[in-house]
Amino acid sequence: LFYNLFVRGFADSGAFGDGTLIEQRAAADDFLRFVNRLPEETVVGRVNHQDSYSVGSFLYGTYQLRDDLRLSAGVRYTDDHKLLFRDEFLLPSRTPLIHNVKREERWRNWSPTFNLAWDIGDDALAYFNASHGYRAGGFNGRSARLGSTLTTEQASLEESSGLLVPYAAERLWNYEVGAKTTWFDNRLTVNGSLYYTKYRNQHVRHA
């Protein structure tokens, strides 16, 4: 019954494509009829729910080294907290494999940034930037098993939690050098820059 209600609620959210609410629910009913005709323990159903909380603060300032040279620096602090709730069961028998498992992880990060700007003249500026970037880690519900095989009996909370391993935070350093210039009494603007970015634990999406 729970699974039937879940699928109907999923349809009400528009998950079965375009169409009216009646058409959505009809598609959900067709899906349920298909699942119920399957042999026992044919399909693994999953219900994943994630909550994310993030708090950040930022400080930035500039110091004039000379009349034509200034140094700016800043730092950002980020505190990310993510929770994953997961159920996994066999269909159409509804035999639980992972039952109401909760995992939570927390990532904290300090990201500095630096900028050195040189006023070459009234019409030209050269600069150098160095900044640290960060993206919190998380949970990949589709591949959380990591190749492990569970029996048809309900897995214990400890076993299930051990399979739901989070992925690490993405971090990078970005370096930029460039110039901004104006010509012919500000009628022409010419800007240019070069970038270099070094990633660690880069997040990529695979279909």
Side-chain angles (χ1 to χ4, degrees):
L1 176 61
F2 167 77
Y3 183 73
N4 292 359
L5 294 175
F6 170 77
V7 173
R8 291 294 294 273
F10 203 51
D12 291 350
S13 69
F16 285 90
D18 298 329
T20 65
L21 179 60
I22 294 177
E23 292 171 337
Q24 292 280 328
R25 290 186 173 179
D29 290 339
D30 289 340
F31 174 75
L32 287 171
R33 282 193 290 270
F34 167 75
V35 169
N36 288 324
R37 287 196 302 267
L38 293 173
E40 290 292 314
E41 303 177 355
T42 300
V43 178
V44 175
R46 294 186 180 96
V47 178
N48 292 318
H49 174 74
Q50 294 193 48
D51 290 329
S52 299
Y53 308 90
S54 182
V55 177
S57 59
F58 186 79
L59 179 66
Y60 192 85
T62 300
Y63 180 73
Q64 197 77 28
L65 300 173
R66 300 186 326 214
D67 290 341
D68 61 346
L69 188 65
R70 57 192 174 274
L71 175 66
S72 300
V75 63
R76 176 183 177 84
Y77 173 73
T78 307
D79 188 345
D80 288 298
H81 188 200
K82 295 189 177 184
L83 298 93
L84 171 68
F85 302 89
R86 178 166 179 171
D87 277 291
E88 184 170 305
F89 41 86
L90 293 172
L91 294 175
S93 65
R94 280 71 163 181
T95 303
L97 295 178
I98 296 177
H99 180 62
N100 198 26
V101 171
K102 173 185 175 182
R103 283 296 308 273
E104 55 183 309
E105 291 290 334
R106 194 172 188 177
W107 293 268
R108 298 182 179 91
N109 182 76
W110 293 91
S111 291
T113 182
F114 306 96
N115 172 268
L116 184 63
W118 176 32
D119 295 317
I120 301 174
D122 293 336
D123 301 322
L125 166 72
Y127 65 91
F128 171 77
N129 288 330
S131 57
H132 182 268
Y134 155 83
R135 180 188 296 177
F139 300 94
N140 186 349
R142 291 185 178 272
S143 61
R145 284 183 152 209
L146 299 179
S148 300
T149 301
L150 295 180
T151 65
T152 56
E153 298 178 358
Q154 179 177 341
S156 68
L157 179 62
E158 292 76 14
E159 290 172 340
S160 301
S161 297
L163 295 173
L164 304 179
V165 180
Y167 55 85
E170 176 182 287
R171 305 178 192 276
L172 65 84
W173 273 101
N174 182 71
Y175 305 93
E176 177 186 356
V177 59
K180 300 181 179 181
T181 64
T182 57
W183 304 80
F184 310 117
D185 294 328
N186 295 326
R187 290 194 295 270
L188 175 65
T189 298
V190 179
N191 300 331
S193 61
L194 296 174
Y195 298 88
Y196 174 75
T197 303
K198 184 175 182 180
Y199 285 89
R200 187 177 67 174
N201 296 326
Q202 183 177 13
H203 296 173
V204 294
R205 186 184 299 272
H206 293 283

